[in-house]
Every structure is written in C-alpha cells, then in structure tokens.
Amino acid sequence: DQARYDEALLAFTKARDLNPSNARYHHAIGSTLAETGRHREAIPHYKNALNQDLANGSSLYNLGYSYRELGDLDTALQYYRQTINLGADSVPKAAFALARIQAQKIKLRGACDPNAAEAKDALWALSVMIERGGEYWARVLLGSIPRRGADQLQPLRQCAEFSTIEQAARKKIDT
C-alpha cells in the first residue's frame, strides 16, 4: 500500500543523504517511485545511480522502462540497447522489452520487412534474449510461459528469420 512505499522512500532518502555516492540508494529511490507510477520523478534517481556506477544494468533497464511508461519509446529503446550492450543481468528483460516496442512499430506498418531497422533490431534483441536468457526466456518466446506483453511479439512472426530464433529457443529448452 502507499504508506509502505512512503516509508521505504523516506528510508532510502535518508540512507542516500548519509552516503550520496552509493548508487544502490539512488536506484532504490527510483524504483520506489516507479513502483507507484511516478516514472518522471524516478528518472533522475536512476541517472544519479548511473553517475555513481556506470555498469549499473538495473538502472539502465529501469530508465528504459520508465521512459516506455511515459510514452518516450525512442529514449526507452536507447536505454534497452545500452543494457543489452553492457551485458548486465537485465539483458533478457531489456531484449524482450526492445523487441516488443519494435514489434509494435512493425504492426503499425502492417508487414515485417526483414531489412527494416525495426525488424533487424527486434530480431537481434530476441536472439540475444534466447542466447543469454536461458530456458525461461526461450519458453516465453515459444508461448509456453505466459508473460505480459508476449503477445505483442506477434508481428515478428511474419519475418522469416523469426523461425531461426524459435529453433534456437527450442534447442535451449531441449538441452
């Protein structure tokens, strides 16, 4: 409930004030704000966390998430790509989110052109998701584990290259 978030926010803020160079406290403040839908307020805290720790994959991913929730999809995509390129623990989530956004752009266009930037970006992200994400993410892609937003990948199934990614996912599950 809101009172618990307020208590957590106060505690994280006090901890941050005592140790302003600790990226975890900045990240925790951002996450608490984002959990209550206050994404615009969360963004500077995630950026502060990154200023303290440039390899903070969670803050990169959460920046992407907050920008996506605010409707700034291009900025969200930038942060998701940075998360993937960093090789952080959040790579599979970021790849999934990136592919979802690009799939929606493809859906608006009405067809999957494998040479289009969105298709290349989305298919690359899904490959990374399967490669680094393990069996869970392979099952999400194949639809055997329900996950919010997985249905948004549907436009990518029109691309011939998608079947190659599905085969890789099946191999991941079989091993």
Side-chain angles (χ1 to χ4, degrees):
D1 72 343
Q2 186 60 44
R4 293 184 73 176
Y5 281 109
D6 291 342
E7 288 175 30
L9 189 57
L10 182 62
F12 292 135
T13 301
K14 285 180 180 179
R16 186 237 15 232
D17 291 346
L18 291 172
N19 190 355
S21 64
N22 189 320
R24 288 186 190 132
Y25 299 138
H26 292 283
H27 181 85
I29 293 168
S31 294
T32 303
L33 290 166
E35 283 291 322
T36 58
R38 296 161 61 186
H39 294 281
R40 194 166 310 284
E41 293 174 67
I43 288 170
H45 296 284
Y46 292 137
K47 287 182 177 182
N48 284 334
L50 283 172
N51 287 336
Q52 303 303 323
D53 177 8
L54 295 175
N56 189 327
S58 294
S59 290
L60 278 171
Y61 171 80
N62 286 350
L63 273 165
Y65 179 78
S66 285
Y67 278 109
R68 186 181 80 204
E69 290 298 304
L70 292 170
D72 186 348
L73 300 183
D74 290 332
T75 303
L77 288 170
Q78 289 173 9
Y79 283 108
Y80 290 146
R81 278 188 205 98
Q82 286 180 35
T83 304
I84 294 166
N85 291 330
L86 179 65
D89 290 343
S90 304
V91 164
K93 280 193 309 190
F96 178 71
L98 186 150
R100 282 176 54 198
I101 291 171
Q102 297 295 36
Q104 290 308 299
K105 290 181 179 182
I106 291 166
K107 182 179 180 181
L108 292 173
R109 196 176 316 112
C112 185
D113 173 1
N115 295 316
E118 293 90 358
K120 287 180 179 181
D121 204 25
L123 294 167
W124 165 76
L126 290 177
S127 295
V128 170
M129 180 182 87
I130 297 305
E131 179 185 316
R132 297 192 197 166
E135 186 178 329
Y136 171 81
W137 288 99
R139 290 185 184 281
V140 167
L141 178 76
L142 296 171
S144 59
I145 292 180
R147 183 168 175 96
R148 190 178 131 236
D151 58 321
Q152 294 172 351
L153 298 177
Q154 193 61 33
L156 295 172
R157 295 183 188 283
Q158 302 169 28
C159 295
E161 294 82 356
F162 191 82
S163 63
T164 304
I165 297 167
E166 284 183 316
Q167 289 172 354
R170 285 188 185 90
K171 284 182 183 176
K172 187 71 93 170
I173 293 170
D174 291 341
T175 56

